[in-house]
């Protein structure tokens, strides 16, 4: 009976709630309103793993440097990160890093080239991708990053963490295509050694993940929300694990806040309760085998 290897999300209490983290090779979706803390969670997950494994961080919303700067505010040093744009333009040669950041805004000039290289002969790909904000570009860029990080076909079995923050712009032009687009993503990038963390916006007005979402390709779903600010007159953030395959996860909502230098900080229940829960729930090892 082999124990499941888990990947930390960089937030101790959330790891407890997930019995130690997300299982290696699974796909986790983080949903929630703008500003609730999805990107900061992603950055913490990167910080926790980048020394141990190659990491590809796709940012569709912020520039390369903003990711590094935001990380620094939480005491996470990502200054060794290399932007894929710099690699493609030849600005950075002989890359020695564990972290490639793909910022789609930076790819405005390079993305066509990426598509040509990645999908030789596949008719129509160039036409489909009229802007770098497309899943075709994201997939080709991730594959290019694998190559740079030495986890291409040959370096195959090494653990890799892929973070996509966020998916929403990928189908903003065609919301009805969301399912198909995300299925394609999963089909093309699925590998047993690749653990994926992705985010998506959740529209509080319609109660739906923007463009019908990506829940169907997620092995785990972490949902974050704000209590009504008009009622509470202060920011009150909550998080719940709605689903986590292969995991006897914590079932209750956890209240948290975001603190400089720390990131996601647990307010309710206490960390002791979560640790105790983690210890007792892991004892039987029911879901760990
Ligand atoms: N340095 C910081 N210290 C404390 N809180 C911060 C800091 N930077 C950002 N925040 C908080 O994090 C929020 C943004 O979180 P973020 O993860 O970017 O949200 P999302 O990705 O869900 O839209 C900000 O609105 C602010 O409340
Ligand atoms: Mg964000």
């Amino acid at each position: 009976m082999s124990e499941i290897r888990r990947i930390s999300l960089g937030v101790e209490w959330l790891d407890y709630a997930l019995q130690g983290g997300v299982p290696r090779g699974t796909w986790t979706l983080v949903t929630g309103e703008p500003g609730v803390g999805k990107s900061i969670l992603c950055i913490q997950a990167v910080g926790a793993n980048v020394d141990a494994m190659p990491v590809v961080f796709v940012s569709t919303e912020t520039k390369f440097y903003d990711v590094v700067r935001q990380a620094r505010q939480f005491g996470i040093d990502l200054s060794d990160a290399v932007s894929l744009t710099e690699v493609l333009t030849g600005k950075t040669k002989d890359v020695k890093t564990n972290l490639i950041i793909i910022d789609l805004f930076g790819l405005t000039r390079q993305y066509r080239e990426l598509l040509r290289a990645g999908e030789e002969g596949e008719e129509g790909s160039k036409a489909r991708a009229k802007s770098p904000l497309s899943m075709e570009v994201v997939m080709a860029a991730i594959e290019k990053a694998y190559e740079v990080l030495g986890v291409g076909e040959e370096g195959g079995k090494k653990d890799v963490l892929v973070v996509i923050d966020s998916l929403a712009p990928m189908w903003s032009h065609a919301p009805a295509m969301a399912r198909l687009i995300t299925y394609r993503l999963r089909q093309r990038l699925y590998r047993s050694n690749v653990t994926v963390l992705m985010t998506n916006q959740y529209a509080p007005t319609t109660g739906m993940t923007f463009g019908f979402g990506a829940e169907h390709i997620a092995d785990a779903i972490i949902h974050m929300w704000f209590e009504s600010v008009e009622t509470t007159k202060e920011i009150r953030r909550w998080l719940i694990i709605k689903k986590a395959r292969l995991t006897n996860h914590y079932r209750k909502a956890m209240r948290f806040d975001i603190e400089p230098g720390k990131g996601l900080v647990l307010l309710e229940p206490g960390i002791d309760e979560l640790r105790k829960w983690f210890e007792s729930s892991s004892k039987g090892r029911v879901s760990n085998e």
Side-chain angles (χ1 to χ4, degrees):
M1 278 189 278
S2 62
E3 202 170 300
I4 288 173
R5 197 134 58 80
R6 291 180 184 271
I7 307 283
S8 167
L9 292 183
V11 175
E12 191 186 23
W13 54 270
L14 187 53
D15 284 343
Y16 282 143
L18 286 163
Q19 292 198 299
V22 293
R24 162 184 196 263
T26 61
W27 292 44
T28 299
L29 175 67
V30 183
T31 59
E33 296 157 64
V36 78
K38 302 181 298 296
S39 295
I40 293 167
L41 174 57
C42 288
I43 285 170
Q44 289 190 267
V46 171
N49 291 288
V50 73
D51 289 336
M53 67 184 74
V55 178
V56 181
F57 189 116
V58 181
S59 175
T60 62
E61 290 171 357
T62 49
K63 293 236 159 83
F64 165 70
Y65 192 65
D66 286 330
V67 177
V68 179
R69 234 180 359 190
Q70 175 83 88
R72 194 174 302 138
Q73 292 192 335
F74 297 106
I76 298 165
D77 180 13
L78 301 184
S79 55
D80 285 343
V82 169
S83 147
L84 186 69
T85 314
E86 285 176 16
V87 179
L88 293 173
T89 55
K91 216 169 129 194
T92 307
K93 295 194 182 83
D94 191 22
V95 184
K96 285 193 193 68
T97 182
N98 242 6
L99 173 59
I100 296 279
I101 297 180
I102 299 168
D103 116 40
L104 287 197
F105 294 104
L107 284 177
T108 42
R109 263 197 268 278
Q110 289 73 36
Y111 77 93
R112 284 173 194 282
E113 203 181 301
L114 259 181
L115 286 179
R116 273 195 293 272
E119 293 185 60
E120 265 175 89
E122 197 177 303
E123 236 11 83
S125 68
K126 273 174 274 171
R128 270 205 301 279
K130 289 203 175 58
S131 104
L133 275 179
S134 94
M135 200 59 96
E136 299 297 329
V137 175
V138 168
M139 293 187 293
I142 291 173
E143 279 160 3
K144 182 72 193 173
Y146 286 171
E147 212 182 293
V148 176
L149 291 166
V151 293
E153 296 305 328
E154 310 96 62
K157 293 284 166 259
K158 251 202 268 180
D159 265 317
V160 186
L161 175 66
V162 173
V163 179
I164 306 177
D165 181 33
S166 82
L167 290 166
M170 241 51 89
W171 51 78
S172 53
H173 60 291
M177 295 289 282
R179 273 180 176 262
L180 186 65
I181 290 171
T182 45
Y183 267 128
R184 266 213 313 261
L185 175 77
R186 171 126 179 159
Q187 224 171 29
R188 180 141 155 210
L189 294 185
Y190 181 82
R191 284 203 212 166
S192 59
N193 59 319
V194 175
T195 304
V196 178
L197 180 63
M198 53 197 175
T199 72
N200 199 5
Q201 242 112 267
Y202 190 88
T205 42
T206 59
M208 289 221 307
T209 313
F210 182 65
F212 309 111
E215 277 82 352
H216 57 289
I217 60 157
D219 300 301
I221 299 172
I222 296 172
H223 181 55
M224 295 154 98
W225 73 97
F226 290 114
E227 267 181 62
S228 160
V229 291
E230 290 171 16
T231 309
T232 58
K233 299 186 182 68
E234 63 174 11
I235 300 283
R236 288 170 76 92
R237 295 179 163 92
W238 289 88
L239 178 157
I240 194 161
I241 300 161
K242 280 168 75 176
K243 152 183 172 177
R245 212 161 59 84
L246 300 166
T247 306
N248 178 21
H249 59 90
Y250 194 65
R251 306 292 205 273
K252 292 181 189 157
M254 292 159 270
R255 190 156 84 85
F256 71 100
D257 201 3
I258 297 169
E259 284 183 22
K262 294 184 182 162
L264 275 57
V265 174
L266 182 69
L267 300 179
E268 260 178 74
I271 184 86
D272 290 341
E273 183 179 325
L274 270 184
R275 192 181 294 120
K276 236 186 284 161
W277 178 84
F278 166 72
E279 278 156 13
S280 66
S281 76
S282 305
K283 224 172 256 155
R285 297 209 171 279
V286 177
S287 65
N288 267 7
E289 283 164 356

